[in-house]
Amino acid sequence: MTEKAAEGPRTRVRRPQRADARRNFDALLAAAREAFAEHGTTASLEDIARRAGVGIGTLYRNFPTRQDLFDSVYLDEIDELCGAAGQVANLPPWEALAAWLRRFVDYAATKRAISEALNRDSEMMRSSRTAMYEAGGRCSTGRRRPERSAAT
């Protein structure tokens, strides 16, 4: 089962420690993201387990409720979006921001697919927004936009 934070809001996906359990967990997240993109929040949990190549029991062991799955898919997107800010840090400022914004589009597509299932007023969502804003800010803080030529 996934580990829950003992204190404060959960802003990161808690992956299992064992390598095989982590692979199953990650496969479930990828399958859920794909199924939600195709079918929205009504996607079949059995279909998600099948796509991930695991049994339904494994899905429920990792995500006891459908809401746990929605939250974990969303938090995984936030993790990836924030990680992308670090990955582009060595690029020139404008390229870094553009690369991060391309990743942001992927995040937006996933969020759109599950938005009706997310509690926008929850502490998890507020903390996730803060983390996302900080990551985006790291792509441009202290950096100027490239000079525009007279032709642009």
Side-chain angles (χ1 to χ4, degrees), residues 1-3 10 13-16 19-31 52 54 58 62-63 69 72-73 76:
M1 185 176 291
T2 59
E3 167 191 325
R10 188 170 74 135
V13 172
R14 307 287 193 248
R15 287 180 165 72
D20 61 329
R22 234 183 354 264
R23 278 190 301 274
N24 288 342
F25 184 90
D26 290 340
L28 284 164
L29 285 179
V54 302
T58 299
N62 283 281
F63 309 102
L69 185 56
S72 292
V73 166
D76 192 51

Side-chain angles (χ1 to χ4, degrees), residues 20-65:
D20 61 329
R22 234 183 354 264
R23 278 190 301 274
N24 288 342
F25 184 90
D26 290 340
L28 284 164
L29 285 179
R33 186 178 294 116
E34 182 180 291
F36 294 148
E38 290 175 20
H39 305 289
T41 58
T42 61
S44 160
L45 296 180
E46 290 81 7
D47 180 49
I48 292 170
R50 182 188 52 72
R51 289 176 190 227
V54 302
I56 193 70
T58 299
L59 184 144
Y60 281 112
R61 192 169 29 261
N62 283 281
F63 309 102
T65 68

Side-chain angles (χ1 to χ4, degrees), residues 55-132:
I56 193 70
T58 299
L59 184 144
Y60 281 112
R61 192 169 29 261
N62 283 281
F63 309 102
T65 68
R66 184 178 282 270
Q67 189 63 50
D68 289 330
L69 185 56
F70 292 138
D71 291 350
S72 292
V73 166
Y74 180 75
L75 289 172
D76 192 51
E77 283 292 309
I78 293 293
D79 285 349
E80 289 183 21
L81 185 62
C82 292
Q87 293 168 358
V88 301
N90 293 327
L91 295 174
W94 194 250
E95 288 178 39
L97 183 59
W100 187 81
L101 287 173
R102 282 190 293 277
R103 179 59 189 92
F104 183 84
V105 170
D106 293 338
Y107 152 79
T110 297
K111 185 177 179 200
R112 183 172 187 260
I114 63 173
S115 65
E116 68 189 50
L118 298 172
N119 176 356
R120 290 180 183 90
D121 296 325
S122 72
E123 186 61 31
M124 178 198 75
M125 290 294 287
R126 284 191 294 275
S127 297
S128 294
R129 273 191 298 272
T130 299
M132 181 179 53

